């Protein structure tokens, strides 16, 4: 329920009809997402490099060396351009490099993606009669233990479970989530969450929940000094499609934080002025975070 108060008469600071104040009330809490999937149990094959799980026309690929989701083919095209890897960092913002300097105090989170990619991984698989489950586990040295599982259902639905146990001595990361790249044709973005403008944990109570439609460029904010940008909080689902409505959708068992970029986190980090971050040619980056 959205409630607005408008100025009835023109004031010296605003015309009549100006929104004086507004508030949103949640009448029904969101129900947990439940998987409903029917059909034949997926079939898994294995080679030296990866595990492949076929569910109907869909094929899910898990890289054995990293334990990451490296492919999702829907029967006609590959939707993923790069593996979805754990990410605990963000391009630094003004308050970071001017103020509390996380790169100095938490360098292990900044390099975690590279450290984890090279870390030994334990991969286990199981078939429960209706789905195929792949579990992976690896350590970020003695800072944290990461466990993930991928459950593939008969219709190609992929459920990702993500758990990280952080050591008591370790400072909290700047984000917890997955970062990957999807096909560059999927420029149209729709999501249910807080919007339409960017919002973070310190700026979400005043941003309304709703179903918002935009583009990848519309999801971003071009700060004068390039930095982390474009996040949306309390997101239940986000879809990225081409102009025909064909694409990929992410749903959260819990509300997510998401952002979509036409460049990479590394490019945003090293750019010194607006427009300097090199754009991706045929892909978009998506961050799916807690």
């Amino acid at each position: 329920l959205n409630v607005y108060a408008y100025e009835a008469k023109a004031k010296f600071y605003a015309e009549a009809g100006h929104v004086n104040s507004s508030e949103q009330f949640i009448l029904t809490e969101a129900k947990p997402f439940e998987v409903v999937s029917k059909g034949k149990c997926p079939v898994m094959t294995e080679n030296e490099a990866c595990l492949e799980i076929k569910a109907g026309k869909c094929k899910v690929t898990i890289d054995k060396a990293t334990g990451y989701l490296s492919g999702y083919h829907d029967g006609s095209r590959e939707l993923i351009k790069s593996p979805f890897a754990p990410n605990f960092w963000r391009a630094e913002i003004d308050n970071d490099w001017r103020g509390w300097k996380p790169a100095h105090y938490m360098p292990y989170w900044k390099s975690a993606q590279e450290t984890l990619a090279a870390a030994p991984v334990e991969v286990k698989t199981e078939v429960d009669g209706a789905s195929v489950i792949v579990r992976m586990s690896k350590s970020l040295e003695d800072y944290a233990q990461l466990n993930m599982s991928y459950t593939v259902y008969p219709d190609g639905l992929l459920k990702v479970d993500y758990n990280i146990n952080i050591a008591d001595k370790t400072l909290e990361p700047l984000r917890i989530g997955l970062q990957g790249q999807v096909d560059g044709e999927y420029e149209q973005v729709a999501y249910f969450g807080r919007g339409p403008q960017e919002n973070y944990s310190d700026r979400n109570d005043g941003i309304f929940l709703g179903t918002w439609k935009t583009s990848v460029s519309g999801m971003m904010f071009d700060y004068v000094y390039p930095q982390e940008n474009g996040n949306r909080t309390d997101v239940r689902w986000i879809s990225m499609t081409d102009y025909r409505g064909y694409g990929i959708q992410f749903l959260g068992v819990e509300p997510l934080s998401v952002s979509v970029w036409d460049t990479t986190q590394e490019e945003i980090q090293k750019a010194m002025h607006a427009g300097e971050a090199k754009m991706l040619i045929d892909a978009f980056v998506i961050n799916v975070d807690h």
Side-chain angles (χ1 to χ4, degrees), residues 22 42 52 55 62 79 81 83 87 90 95 105 123 141-142 153 161-163 166 192 196 216 224 231 248 254 273:
S22 60
E52 293 184 347
I62 308 296
L79 306 183
K81 284 287 187 177
N87 185 31
R90 55 167 162 75
N95 285 347
Y105 292 105
V123 178
E141 299 175 346
D142 59 347
Y153 293 91
D161 287 292
Y162 188 121
N163 178 270
I166 301 172
F192 181 83
V216 172
V224 173
N231 189 71
I248 189 168
E254 299 178 30
H273 304 91

Side-chain angles (χ1 to χ4, degrees), residues 70-270:
S70 59
Y72 189 103
H73 198 284
D74 74 342
S76 62
R77 70 174 84 178
E78 178 59 56
L79 306 183
I80 293 176
K81 284 287 187 177
S82 77
F84 273 73
N87 185 31
F88 308 100
W89 197 251
R90 55 167 162 75
E92 290 172 87
I93 63 174
D94 292 334
N95 285 347
D96 292 335
W97 62 271
R98 292 173 190 234
W100 67 295
K101 298 177 175 54
H104 173 74
Y105 292 105
M106 305 189 300
Y108 43 84
W109 288 126
K110 187 174 183 178
S111 60
Q113 200 167 88
E114 294 77 20
T115 305
L116 280 170
V121 60
E122 181 181 358
V123 178
K124 297 180 180 179
T125 63
E126 63 181 88
V127 180
D128 67 1
S131 60
V132 172
I133 305 172
V134 178
R135 305 183 192 277
M136 82 84 153
S137 178
K138 59 171 59 180
S139 297
L140 177 60
E141 299 175 346
D142 59 347
Y143 297 109
Q145 177 72 29
L146 177 68
N147 301 291
M148 295 180 62
S149 69
Y150 310 92
T151 305
V152 184
Y153 293 91
D155 59 0
L157 182 72
L158 171 63
K159 182 184 178 187
V160 180
D161 287 292
Y162 188 121
N163 178 270
I164 182 167
N165 295 312
I166 301 172
D168 291 340
K169 69 171 186 177
T170 307
L171 295 173
E172 291 183 358
L174 301 185
R175 67 169 7 124
I176 294 177
L178 292 174
Q179 184 181 86
Q181 296 182 13
V182 300
D183 195 288
E185 293 185 13
Y186 304 149
E187 187 177 10
Q188 305 304 311
V189 180
Y191 68 94
F192 181 83
R194 295 193 182 272
Q197 65 270 58
E198 72 169 15
N199 53 95
Y200 289 78
S201 59
D202 61 348
R203 189 194 169 196
N204 72 339
D205 283 350
I207 310 296
F208 283 6
L209 283 168
T211 301
W212 310 103
K213 294 183 179 180
T214 182
S215 61
V216 172
S217 60
M219 287 285 284
M220 302 177 68
F221 192 91
D222 199 15
Y223 287 97
V224 173
Y225 188 94
Q227 54 196 285
E228 161 68 29
N229 72 92
N231 189 71
R232 306 301 196 274
T233 59
D234 288 339
V235 172
R236 272 58 169 183
W237 57 263
I238 181 171
S239 65
M240 298 182 66
T241 65
D242 60 19
Y243 68 94
R244 298 168 298 178
Y246 177 94
I248 189 168
Q249 185 180 52
F250 301 82
L251 301 97
V253 176
E254 299 178 30
L256 304 169
S257 284
V258 301
S259 53
V260 182
W261 303 326
D262 59 12
T263 186
T264 65
Q265 186 166 292
E266 292 73 25
E267 284 292 320
I268 297 173
Q269 175 75 53
K270 72 182 183 181

